[in-house]
Amino acid sequence: MLFNNLTYAIFIPVVFILYRIVPIRYRWALLLAVSYWFCAQLDIRFLLVLFIQSLFAYVFGILIDTAKTERARRRFTAGAAAELLGGLVIFKYLGFFTENLNALLYHLTPHGENFLQIPVPQLFVPIGISFYTLQVLGYILDVSRGKYRAEWHFGRFLLFASFFPQLISGPIGRGDKLLPQYRRLRKPNGRQISMGLKRMAWGYFKKLAIADVLAVTVNKIFGAPDIYIGLIFPASVLMYTIELYCDFSGYSDIAVGTAQLFGVELDQNFNTPYLSQNVREFWNRWHISLSGWFRDYLYIPLGGSHYGIPKRVRNTLIVMLTSGLWHGASWTFLFWGLLHGLYQSADVLITRTHGPKKVNEDYPKPVRILRTIVTFSLISFAWLFFRADSMKTALTFMKGTFTGIEDPIQYLKTFVICLDMPYMQMVWISIPVIILVIADFVSFMKKKEIVELVSAGRPAVRYTVYVLLLVGILLFSQKGVTAEFIYSGF
Amino acid sequence: MQRTEGNENFTRRRRVRRNTRLGSTLLKVAGVCFAAILVVLFLNWLYLQDGQNRYHELDKFGWIGEGYEPSYLSNVGSSHGAYGLDYSEIEAQGLRCFNFALPSQMFDQDLAVLQQFQEGLAPGGVMLIPISYFSFNDETVTEVEREGRATRYYQFVDPEYIPDYDWFVDLTTHRMPVLSGGYKLLLVPSHIIEQKKADREAEEARLSLHVLAAESEESAETADAEAENSDAEAAQESEEPDEFEQVGWDRFVRHFENKPDYFLPEREQQLRDLIAFCREKEVTPVLITMPFHRAYTDLIHEDFLETFDQEVDRIAQETGTNYYNYGMDERFRDNRALFGNADHLNEEGALYFTQLICSEIPEIREMLEQHGITP
């Protein structure tokens, strides 16, 4: 069961009613049971892995908390990290590492003999493992640093690791924020319910009316790049840029909104990322929970921005390469991470060598707009490697983009032919995208979430918006297509 | 004691206030949902005002209603059956016939249509079941096309007969087609305006009919002459070998490329179910392969044709039906004048072929003779 299945529309009201009936002291048990059932619906083996990882994290958390010496605490922390990351590596990266080791061995052995080939393990990848591993690892590190005490209630800890709205694709929560909420699960108030539903509706709009619709064209072009040429390549990358944002931020909105229905406040994961003026700012606005995790548990421990520019560049590159690898076991993800690392390093070098540090507001408006456009272009270009199934595909896109550019009229005509879509359909698809762009601009200018802005509006305006949002979901969504959330594959 | 009572009252009041707040929130949510549904219903009504959003190929089924005389000679099948059989001459002699075929219709859909209109099948009649080369696989190529074709059965077949019925498809394509209409909704206003304009022009034309009547003979002569010229040009164009053969090639590619496992066991079972249903309704099933032009059949591998014949013969034998293969018939395969394209007969070809089978296929001939009709 995914958020965009019709069964989820039945599941949520049922759980909501049960939640209101169950006494406060057993609510954690209800949410845990529902979360485990949710996971088991996907695959019972996922549930087993989740439970084992949670169990280890729980035990290590208590051992760290009660460790008598600093040495023991460090040992337990290392043990927990090794266990948690070991699980992630085994399920997610073992195949990738083995394949590449085999390729290396093949090239190292004389005459390319392949007698040293290691069998590639064909393991299943438990859904959400990248997310809940980071969440519980963050908890372990926080307990180890003495930021807060370990959770002794086993059930509540299991809920912390498995709460169903964030299980598949986050947002990656922090123990100090979530565990106190699970200790006293209140009934949500009217505002929370109202905001939760609005957030979910906005998330569904982004996922169903934009991401899934754009995915049809994007998948077609990325699936067979050899039969296309010209402008369709950058256009499809642009479409993927919007698709990915709507898919993932849509998921996050649904997750945060769902959690609010149960009185749980999760962190926002997106904040108009494509209006950033540099790549570093982008990472403060995109997948905020992951960026925050890498900042707190990797970048800062490595030394952060202290100890000079070379070390800062090194740390940035390490973090972004790790982020790339976290997204998937493939060279394209690694390259994507490297590209982002280089962008940020270049930004550090440029800003440090050109006068005092400036904030965005220091630049004149035209320059700010230009910076936003350049940043958006760089990020879109990087998404090409993120989406491409191989480096070869990405190169095909880059080479193919310039084919026929010497004749601009024909170049445009070819684009229209490749798009293979009636003019009115292009207009139709553009409508929700334009709505999104306007919403993001307004949100960016007012420095407030669009859902909150609308909620604060006059009743006539806000109720019209709610009705039109629902109508938009019904009319613009792809019917009969249940496209998985992109990040559920990570 | 007083303090405890005060606390209880406070808690009760707080609970009541919270529940009221929840109640009003849920009421607002219901109100918004209701308003959204009203808007969608209005848009759906508007969408249906546009004649272009209807399935015109299904109009023929509108004739089958209460008081409809059951049909004695009918056929199912895909476009090969839909365009290749024309019963107008037999109907002119007073015998009810019906063509149940629809483009890309497969055996399970044939059965669904027959189950829906089973009252329209006369006992003692004959049912022609066209077997095309793709019949044991699929005529459509992509999943989107397949789903698109499947949705039309939701328009006129009861859910109990629809293969793999899905209520969501029913809702979004039949009950509320605007939900799957997509960009066509944007075209509705312009189509309605165009339709109104056309209606107004027709009305004006009707009012000035007497003026036009005088001019009509003259203009008709001119139009006829123009039509003849354009027909001749069209015939000349269609005789250009490349175009006709290119279409043949395209049809061949559509029917044969990327379709491994050509003889799917489920298709065979569906054919057997169709035959059994005809028998149950006391209708004689007859398997038939429609005539094709050489531009299509020459591309098909001999081994395939041999296997195809063997398979159909086996099924015919096992089910006790007769199979007539006109696929390579010499009277058709080189005669381009009888074809609309390489694998579809044109109107002339359909009339000729129907006449031919009425006299050549014993089951049909005998049935017609029983009703005193001369083929």
Side-chain angles (χ1 to χ4, degrees), chain A residues 375-396:
Chain A
T375 305
F376 179 77
S377 308
L378 289 172
I379 290 159
S380 298
F381 175 66
W383 287 137
L384 165 63
F385 298 92
F386 191 87
R387 174 62 181 82
D389 51 10
S390 65
M391 294 299 282
K392 188 174 164 270
T393 303
L395 288 173
T396 306

Short mmCIF file of all heavy atoms in Angstrom, two decimals, chain A residues 375-396:
data_model
loop_
_atom_site.label_atom_id
_atom_site.label_comp_id
_atom_site.label_asym_id
_atom_site.label_seq_id
_atom_site.Cartn_x
_atom_site.Cartn_y
_atom_site.Cartn_z
N THR A 375 21.53 28.76 -10.90
CA THR A 375 21.48 27.65 -9.92
C THR A 375 20.48 26.59 -10.38
O THR A 375 20.78 25.39 -10.34
CB THR A 375 21.06 28.20 -8.53
OG1 THR A 375 21.95 29.24 -8.18
CG2 THR A 375 21.09 27.11 -7.48
N PHE A 376 19.33 27.05 -10.84
CA PHE A 376 18.31 26.11 -11.31
C PHE A 376 18.85 25.27 -12.48
O PHE A 376 18.66 24.06 -12.54
CB PHE A 376 17.05 26.88 -11.73
CG PHE A 376 15.95 26.01 -12.24
CD1 PHE A 376 15.16 25.27 -11.37
CD2 PHE A 376 15.71 25.87 -13.61
CE1 PHE A 376 14.16 24.44 -11.85
CE2 PHE A 376 14.71 25.04 -14.09
CZ PHE A 376 13.93 24.33 -13.19
N SER A 377 19.57 25.94 -13.40
CA SER A 377 20.12 25.22 -14.56
C SER A 377 21.15 24.19 -14.11
O SER A 377 21.16 23.05 -14.63
CB SER A 377 20.77 26.20 -15.53
OG SER A 377 19.87 27.23 -15.84
N LEU A 378 22.01 24.58 -13.19
CA LEU A 378 23.04 23.64 -12.71
C LEU A 378 22.39 22.43 -12.04
O LEU A 378 22.81 21.28 -12.25
CB LEU A 378 23.97 24.35 -11.71
CG LEU A 378 24.92 25.40 -12.28
CD1 LEU A 378 25.62 26.15 -11.15
CD2 LEU A 378 25.94 24.76 -13.21
N ILE A 379 21.39 22.69 -11.24
CA ILE A 379 20.72 21.59 -10.52
C ILE A 379 20.00 20.68 -11.51
O ILE A 379 20.07 19.45 -11.41
CB ILE A 379 19.75 22.16 -9.45
CG1 ILE A 379 20.56 22.80 -8.32
CG2 ILE A 379 18.84 21.08 -8.90
CD1 ILE A 379 19.78 23.78 -7.51
N SER A 380 19.33 21.29 -12.49
CA SER A 380 18.62 20.49 -13.50
C SER A 380 19.61 19.61 -14.26
O SER A 380 19.33 18.44 -14.52
CB SER A 380 17.91 21.41 -14.50
OG SER A 380 16.96 22.17 -13.85
N PHE A 381 20.74 20.20 -14.62
CA PHE A 381 21.75 19.43 -15.34
C PHE A 381 22.19 18.22 -14.49
O PHE A 381 22.33 17.11 -15.00
CB PHE A 381 22.95 20.32 -15.67
CG PHE A 381 24.09 19.58 -16.30
CD1 PHE A 381 23.96 19.01 -17.56
CD2 PHE A 381 25.30 19.42 -15.63
CE1 PHE A 381 25.00 18.29 -18.13
CE2 PHE A 381 26.35 18.71 -16.19
CZ PHE A 381 26.20 18.15 -17.45
N ALA A 382 22.37 18.45 -13.21
CA ALA A 382 22.80 17.34 -12.33
C ALA A 382 21.72 16.26 -12.25
O ALA A 382 22.02 15.07 -12.15
CB ALA A 382 23.13 17.87 -10.95
N TRP A 383 20.46 16.66 -12.32
CA TRP A 383 19.38 15.65 -12.26
C TRP A 383 19.46 14.68 -13.43
O TRP A 383 18.95 13.57 -13.35
CB TRP A 383 18.00 16.30 -12.25
CG TRP A 383 17.58 17.00 -10.98
CD1 TRP A 383 16.96 18.20 -10.90
CD2 TRP A 383 17.71 16.54 -9.62
NE1 TRP A 383 16.71 18.53 -9.58
CE2 TRP A 383 17.16 17.52 -8.78
CE3 TRP A 383 18.27 15.41 -9.04
CZ2 TRP A 383 17.12 17.42 -7.39
CZ3 TRP A 383 18.24 15.29 -7.65
CH2 TRP A 383 17.68 16.28 -6.84
N LEU A 384 20.08 15.10 -14.54
CA LEU A 384 20.23 14.20 -15.69
C LEU A 384 20.94 12.92 -15.25
O LEU A 384 20.52 11.82 -15.59
CB LEU A 384 21.00 14.92 -16.80
CG LEU A 384 21.56 14.05 -17.93
CD1 LEU A 384 20.44 13.35 -18.69
CD2 LEU A 384 22.37 14.90 -18.90
N PHE A 385 21.99 13.07 -14.45
CA PHE A 385 22.75 11.90 -14.00
C PHE A 385 21.98 11.12 -12.93
O PHE A 385 22.13 9.92 -12.79
CB PHE A 385 24.12 12.34 -13.47
CG PHE A 385 24.94 12.99 -14.52
CD1 PHE A 385 24.91 14.36 -14.71
CD2 PHE A 385 25.70 12.21 -15.39
CE1 PHE A 385 25.64 14.95 -15.72
CE2 PHE A 385 26.43 12.80 -16.40
CZ PHE A 385 26.40 14.18 -16.57
N PHE A 386 21.18 11.84 -12.21
CA PHE A 386 20.37 11.21 -11.16
C PHE A 386 19.31 10.29 -11.78
O PHE A 386 19.00 9.23 -11.27
CB PHE A 386 19.69 12.34 -10.37
CG PHE A 386 19.03 11.92 -9.09
CD1 PHE A 386 19.74 11.86 -7.91
CD2 PHE A 386 17.67 11.61 -9.05
CE1 PHE A 386 19.13 11.51 -6.72
CE2 PHE A 386 17.06 11.26 -7.87
CZ PHE A 386 17.79 11.20 -6.70
N ARG A 387 18.76 10.72 -12.93
CA ARG A 387 17.68 9.97 -13.57
C ARG A 387 18.18 8.91 -14.55
O ARG A 387 17.57 7.84 -14.68
CB ARG A 387 16.75 10.95 -14.30
CG ARG A 387 15.62 10.30 -15.15
CD ARG A 387 14.69 9.50 -14.28
NE ARG A 387 13.62 8.87 -15.04
CZ ARG A 387 13.72 7.73 -15.70
NH1 ARG A 387 14.90 7.11 -15.72
NH2 ARG A 387 12.69 7.22 -16.34
N ALA A 388 19.31 9.21 -15.22
CA ALA A 388 19.80 8.30 -16.25
C ALA A 388 20.16 6.95 -15.65
O ALA A 388 20.71 6.89 -14.55
CB ALA A 388 21.01 8.92 -16.93
N ASP A 389 19.83 5.87 -16.39
CA ASP A 389 20.14 4.55 -15.85
C ASP A 389 21.61 4.19 -16.02
O ASP A 389 22.09 3.21 -15.45
CB ASP A 389 19.23 3.47 -16.46
CG ASP A 389 19.21 3.53 -17.96
OD1 ASP A 389 20.05 4.26 -18.52
OD2 ASP A 389 18.38 2.85 -18.58
N SER A 390 22.33 4.96 -16.85
CA SER A 390 23.78 4.73 -17.00
C SER A 390 24.42 6.02 -17.46
O SER A 390 23.75 6.94 -17.93
CB SER A 390 24.03 3.63 -18.03
OG SER A 390 23.60 4.08 -19.30
N MET A 391 25.73 6.06 -17.34
CA MET A 391 26.47 7.24 -17.80
C MET A 391 26.32 7.38 -19.32
O MET A 391 26.32 8.49 -19.85
CB MET A 391 27.94 7.11 -17.43
CG MET A 391 28.21 7.14 -15.94
SD MET A 391 27.69 8.66 -15.14
CE MET A 391 29.00 9.76 -15.58
N LYS A 392 26.18 6.24 -19.99
CA LYS A 392 26.04 6.26 -21.45
C LYS A 392 24.76 7.02 -21.84
O LYS A 392 24.77 7.83 -22.77
CB LYS A 392 25.98 4.81 -21.97
CG LYS A 392 26.03 4.68 -23.46
CD LYS A 392 26.12 3.22 -23.88
CE LYS A 392 25.76 3.06 -25.34
NZ LYS A 392 24.37 2.83 -25.58
N THR A 393 23.68 6.74 -21.11
CA THR A 393 22.42 7.43 -21.39
C THR A 393 22.58 8.93 -21.20
O THR A 393 22.11 9.73 -22.01
CB THR A 393 21.31 6.90 -20.46
OG1 THR A 393 21.21 5.51 -20.64
CG2 THR A 393 19.96 7.55 -20.75
N ALA A 394 23.24 9.29 -20.11
CA ALA A 394 23.45 10.73 -19.83
C ALA A 394 24.26 11.38 -20.95
O ALA A 394 23.95 12.49 -21.39
CB ALA A 394 24.14 10.89 -18.49
N LEU A 395 25.28 10.65 -21.43
CA LEU A 395 26.09 11.20 -22.53
C LEU A 395 25.28 11.32 -23.81
O LEU A 395 25.42 12.29 -24.57
CB LEU A 395 27.33 10.31 -22.75
CG LEU A 395 28.39 10.40 -21.66
CD1 LEU A 395 29.48 9.37 -21.88
CD2 LEU A 395 28.99 11.80 -21.60
N THR A 396 24.39 10.34 -24.03
CA THR A 396 23.51 10.40 -25.22
C THR A 396 22.67 11.67 -25.16
O THR A 396 22.47 12.35 -26.17
CB THR A 396 22.58 9.16 -25.26
OG1 THR A 396 23.39 8.00 -25.17
CG2 THR A 396 21.74 9.13 -26.51
#
